[in-house]
Structure formats: structure tokens, C-alpha cells
Amino acid sequence: MLFSRFCQLGAHHFKTLIKAPTCTPRAHFFHGAHNKILLRVRGSQMFSSTADKVDSQKEEDGPKKINVTFVGKDGEETNIKVRVGMSMLEAAHENDIDLEGACEGSLACSTCHVIVMDMNQYNKLPDPTDEENDMLDLAFGLTETSRLGCQIIASPELDGLRLALPAATRNFAVDGYKPKPH
């Protein structure tokens, strides 16, 4: 019985034995003889492999967000808040903006092509990689400030970014399929 109970604990307590960096203190979950044996193994605390806080930001502050405006094919503007670190493709999907992203951000298509409307904002972006430029060569309505939405990552200096959606994409116009984010 003790052996089977120990096996149920699995990697959870094995990590505590090797002092894994992601271990955080938790309350005692087992009573009686099992708890006494486990306490001998690891002192007087039980541990969990889940972290209390992922980053150093305070919980009440929440993740930092920036303002982004998507300008649709018809000129309609949609203002959204985007978490820092999120791609514009993910942000568009979360806010029901018609930006396809057929390859789901793996840099294998050009269906998330967007046009950065302000040259100053465009200059704040990191230079596109060769792979991104190769995919942009396939994009419909390519401009000097064209980028792939999956490669534009929200950062504080991009607050106020304005992105225009091109009139069409190579995949989207053919069958009218609108992907749903996973």
C-alpha cells in the first residue's frame, strides 16, 4: 500500500528531492503514516511543480498591454488591446479580425500579411528575416511596409500601432474559409 501511494506521487515529489527550480511550497495533502514518511524524505514541507507566479509582475497589475488598430478592407477601424509578447496574428484571432494565418504562424505562408500604416512604427520593428521576406514575396498587394502578422510581436514601443489588412490573400479569397484559433 505504501509503495502504491508513493508511485501515485510520481514525478511531483521526485522533483522536490532534486530541488527543481519550479517547485513551490504547498499544504500537506496526505494524512497519517504516508505524510510522516514523506516528511522524513523532504523535511517539513510538501511541494508542487506549479509556480505561484510566472513572472515578476504583480497579479493585480496584470500583463502589460498595448493599443493596436486594425484597419479592415472596407476602411473600418478596430481598436484592440494586445498583451506584450503576443503576435498580431494571435491578437487578430482573439478579437475576431479577418486575418487568416493558414500556417498558424509557422512562417510557411503569406496569408497573415498586414501593412504597417506608419513608417515610424515600421522602423521600430526588427528587420524581417530572409524566411519572412520569402513569404512576403508571395503576398497579395505587397508594399514597402508590409509584414507578416505572425512575425510582429507586441512590445511597449509599438503602442499605437496601426495595421491595414490587404484587399485579399492567396488562400482566403478562394474558398471563404475563416480559421478558428485553437
Side-chain angles (χ1 to χ4, degrees):
M1 168 117 174
L2 179 61
F3 182 73
S4 66
R5 190 63 149 163
F6 188 72
C7 289
Q8 288 175 354
L9 298 175
H12 167 77
H13 286 289
F14 181 72
K15 284 184 177 182
T16 64
L17 294 174
I18 59 171
K19 297 182 181 181
T22 59
C23 294
T24 57
R26 294 284 181 231
H28 299 293
F29 295 110
F30 303 103
H31 303 287
H34 304 323
N35 209 17
K36 289 178 187 174
I37 292 170
L38 290 172
L39 290 177
R40 278 188 226 135
V41 172
R42 180 66 179 157
S44 62
Q45 291 184 335
M46 301 288 282
F47 285 79
S48 169
S49 61
T50 59
D52 284 337
K53 291 184 182 178
V54 176
D55 57 14
S56 60
Q57 248 179 350
K58 294 179 183 175
E59 286 180 23
E60 59 272 1
D61 291 346
K64 176 104 172 94
K65 293 187 177 187
I66 64 169
N67 294 308
V68 176
T69 302
F70 282 89
V71 180
K73 299 167 188 153
D74 56 357
E76 181 183 343
E77 293 188 7
T78 306
N79 297 311
I80 63 171
K81 297 268 188 191
V82 180
R83 268 188 344 266
V84 169
M86 176 183 271
S87 75
M88 294 304 118
L89 175 63
E90 293 169 320
H93 285 179
E94 280 188 5
N95 291 280
D96 297 323
I97 295 171
D98 290 333
L99 187 61
E100 185 175 354
C103 72
E104 298 180 358
S106 65
L107 203 56
C109 72
S110 63
T111 58
C112 65
H113 169 224
V114 294
I115 300 164
V116 180
M117 297 180 73
D118 180 12
M119 187 56 116
N120 290 329
Q121 291 282 24
Y122 179 83
N123 290 332
K124 292 178 184 178
L125 295 171
D127 292 334
T129 63
D130 290 338
E131 292 83 6
E132 182 179 359
N133 280 328
D134 290 344
M135 290 298 114
L136 281 170
D137 288 341
L138 306 173
F140 180 85
L142 190 65
T143 70
E144 282 293 314
T145 59
S146 289
R147 293 297 297 266
L148 296 180
C150 65
Q151 299 301 302
I152 300 176
I153 306 300
S155 62
E157 57 270 5
L158 294 178
D159 192 33
L161 183 65
R162 293 177 51 83
L163 301 172
L165 303 178
T169 64
R170 302 243 184 244
N171 288 3
F172 201 77
V174 175
D175 59 4
Y177 171 74
K178 292 185 181 182
K180 293 185 171 93
H182 295 50

